[in-house]
Amino acid sequence: MTEAINRILVPVDFSAHSDRALQYATTLAGRFNATVEVLHVVEDPFISGAWSPEAVAPNIPELLADLVAAARGKLNALKVAAIRKGVRLETTVLTTVLTGKPADSITDYARTERFDLIVMGTHGRTGLSHALLGSVAERVVRKAPCPVLTVRETASPNQEVASAVATAAV
């Protein structure tokens, strides 16, 4: 491998799956002396289908502002925890008011900001739930401008990163 890994993007949805991906990414970053940026995409609840037009809805701009503020708070907590562990971590919150599609926002951001690697968790859905809910990770893999490493919750960061680093060094 001749390309360096200097910047790693970790899209998170604050699930255990994305927590595992962040652990993996920070371990990998330590091995490559890379920086990690954590990204959360806030979907417009009307575009995503979380709210229907028939429902009595609160003030939409206020609702989005609340969602963004909550995401920033959670990302700040992740950043504080990373700093305590000595990890360089940046955080970003994107609001997808125009597209409503997290996968598009993630790949557009990775392209614009020129990341070397995307590390993200996957829920590992199969069958009907995969067909109905789809997979943000799968869409990112298809559209990403850089390599994507998907991490299942059962992955062991220290053991698997050692294997990935050994393979990458070849």
Side-chain angles (χ1 to χ4, degrees):
M1 180 170 129
T2 59
E3 296 178 24
I5 297 175
N6 297 312
R7 299 185 69 218
I8 301 172
L9 178 63
V10 184
V12 298
D13 62 2
F14 306 116
S15 68
H17 304 282
S18 62
D19 289 347
R20 193 67 166 161
L22 182 56
Q23 288 176 355
Y24 199 103
T26 56
T27 301
L28 190 60
R31 302 275 173 104
F32 284 99
N33 197 27
T35 59
V36 174
E37 182 165 342
V38 180
L39 170 71
H40 178 73
V41 178
V42 176
E43 290 184 83
D44 182 315
F46 286 96
I47 293 173
S48 69
W51 291 90
S52 70
E54 297 85 30
V56 177
N59 182 343
I60 296 169
E62 187 178 307
L63 174 64
L64 284 173
D66 290 347
L67 292 171
V68 169
R72 283 201 173 111
K74 290 177 182 178
L75 287 175
N76 189 49
L78 290 175
K79 189 173 186 173
V80 168
I83 289 169
R84 286 185 184 139
K85 294 179 183 176
V87 175
R88 294 179 293 168
L89 186 70
E90 296 300 320
T91 60
T92 303
V93 177
L94 290 184
T95 306
T96 58
V97 176
L98 297 177
T99 64
K101 304 224 183 254
D104 291 341
S105 296
I106 293 165
T107 56
D108 290 347
Y109 189 74
R111 184 175 295 104
T112 302
E113 298 298 319
R114 299 179 177 229
F115 283 91
D116 303 308
L117 178 67
I118 299 171
V119 177
M120 62 188 304
T122 179
H123 291 264
R125 291 185 183 105
T126 59
L128 185 59
S129 66
H130 176 73
L132 294 175
L133 299 174
S135 169
V136 173
E138 185 177 330
R139 288 185 206 103
V140 169
V141 167
R142 281 195 220 127
K143 293 180 154 190
C146 60
V148 179
L149 177 63
T150 59
V151 179
R152 294 185 68 159
E153 189 178 2
T154 58
S156 169
N158 291 326
Q159 293 171 349
E160 292 189 18
V161 167
S163 174
V165 169
T167 303
V170 175

